[in-house]
Amino acid sequence: MEYKTCDTFFICQLPTKPTLIAQDDVAEVMWVNKRNIEIERFAFPSTRQAVSQWLQQ
């Protein structure tokens, strides 16, 4: 099934890692080292493409 999406991606640097808390719209949140990101686990091709480009920088 194909989904039409309109995606926006942001990059920022934080001075410290804030505590992340999943709420009713998200099952889980976690910090992941960028070397351990598994591109194939992203559902949407646009997200896989954006993250792949970011990792190549």
Side-chain angles (χ1 to χ4, degrees):
M1 176 174 278
E2 183 177 317
Y3 292 94
K4 301 292 183 187
T5 63
C6 180
D7 304 316
T8 305
F9 301 92
F10 299 92
I11 297 172
C12 70
Q13 293 185 356
L14 303 171
T16 60
K17 279 188 201 177
T19 301
L20 303 175
I21 300 171
Q23 302 212 1
D24 65 347
D25 59 339
V26 176
E28 180 182 24
V29 292
M30 68 180 111
W31 292 104
V32 178
N33 187 302
K34 65 191 276 184
R35 291 182 296 261
N36 297 330
I37 293 174
E38 299 175 46
I39 297 295
E40 64 279 358
R41 295 193 64 192
F42 289 98
F44 299 108
S46 58
T47 306
R48 290 192 297 269
Q49 181 180 7
V51 174
S52 291
Q53 288 178 0
W54 172 66
L55 290 172
Q56 292 174 12
Q57 294 180 359

